[in-house]
């Protein structure tokens, strides 16, 4: 079954404690991205990756890092989380053409106290 | 910049009612347009898409037509069911840019 998985699904943490949210896809997609979803704002892209070792900033990259060492994995790293990063996070992947369907993971709800 | 504006919710309907969610866009080029749906507790799923002017996307009884003259992509369904209760997002992407630009989302609740 084609899918994008994220872990953890829920996380409560404290300000400044480094965390990583993992994302993995089994469709051999080249393009992966991270979005955050906030009420009234829809989804906004944080970072994206065109392929292994190729990453770039999206619209709201401040406070986040990513890496793409393997094609299937695209972890999101918060080095020093702050309360304004409390949000619902989605990982997505697509085969690569702009008209292709993007497949989304189930989401990670993060609360930073 | 490129952006999507969709009608604010929440929208509450009775079963078998007609649903319309308005979506308009601003883009510098010729975007592809999408409707994604998010069921409670789940990630987003593609509902339908249209890649050029006058294209009609359809799926699960939902339809939307790409109107270049009015820069719109309104979502419609003639007879909704309780299972259609979800958040609906209009989105666009531009050639050469794999990013999806989303609207704020419209929450739809269908009552039996």
């Amino acid at each position: 079954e084609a899918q994008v998985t994220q872990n953890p699904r829920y996380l409560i943490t404290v300000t400044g404690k480094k965390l990583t949210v993992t994302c993995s896809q089994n469709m051999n997609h080249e393009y992966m991205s991270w979005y955050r979803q906030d009420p009234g704002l829809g989804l906004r892209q944080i970072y994206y990756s065109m392929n292994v070792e190729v990453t770039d900033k999206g619209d709201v990259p401040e406070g986040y890092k990513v890496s793409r060492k393997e094609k299937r994995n695209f972890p999101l790293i918060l080095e020093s989380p702050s309360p304004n990063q409390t949000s619902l996070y989605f990982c997505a992947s697509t085969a690569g053409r702009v008209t292709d369907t993007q497949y989304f993971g189930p989401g990670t709800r993060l609360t930073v106290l | 910049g490129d952006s999507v504006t969709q009608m604010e919710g929440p929208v509450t309907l009775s079963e078998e009612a007609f649903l319309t969610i308005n979506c308009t866009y601003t883009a510098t080029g010729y975007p592809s347009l999408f409707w994604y749906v998010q069921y409670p507790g789940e990630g987003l799923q593609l509902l339908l898409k249209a890649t050029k002017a006058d294209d009609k996307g359809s799926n699960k009884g939902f339809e939307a037509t790409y109107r270049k003259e009015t820069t719109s992509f309104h979502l419609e369904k003639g007879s909704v069911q309780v299972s259609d209760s979800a958040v609906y997002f209009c989105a666009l992407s531009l050639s050469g840019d794999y990013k999806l630009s989303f609207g704020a989302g419209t929450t739809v609740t269908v009552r039996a």
Side-chain angles (χ1 to χ4, degrees), chain A residues 45-63:
Chain A
Q45 192 183 57
I46 302 170
Y47 267 95
Y48 65 94
S49 170
M50 302 286 283
N51 212 325
V52 175
E53 302 292 0
V54 181
T55 63
D56 207 348
K57 297 177 181 179
D59 295 323
V60 288
E62 295 76 20

Side-chain angles (χ1 to χ4, degrees), chain B:
Chain B
D2 307 316
S3 65
V4 174
T5 302
Q6 61 182 105
M7 64 182 283
E8 293 186 17
V11 175
T12 302
L13 302 165
S14 298
E15 248 185 339
E16 300 183 6
F18 184 85
L19 171 67
T20 298
I21 304 176
N22 290 337
C23 171
T24 58
Y25 67 89
T26 302
T28 52
Y30 298 98
S32 295
L33 301 173
F34 306 82
W35 277 100
Y36 279 81
V37 59
Q38 183 181 29
Y39 297 106
E42 299 183 11
L44 281 73
Q45 304 172 24
L46 178 68
L47 181 58
L48 53 85
K49 67 180 180 183
T51 59
K52 61 182 187 296
D54 299 325
D55 270 2
K56 177 186 283 188
S58 61
N59 186 26
K60 298 183 180 180
F62 290 89
E63 291 184 341
T65 301
Y66 188 141
R67 302 286 188 200
K68 183 181 172 185
E69 62 276 14
T70 54
T71 62
S72 65
F73 192 55
H74 305 321
L75 182 69
E76 297 181 337
K77 185 173 185 181
S79 177
V80 294
Q81 305 299 313
V82 172
S83 57
D84 293 323
S85 298
V87 182
Y88 293 83
F89 292 94
C90 186
L92 68 81
S93 66
L94 286 166
S95 177
D97 183 354
Y98 299 100
K99 180 184 73 174
L100 284 168
S101 295
F102 285 90
T106 302
T107 300
V108 174
T109 301
V110 180
R111 298 182 299 193

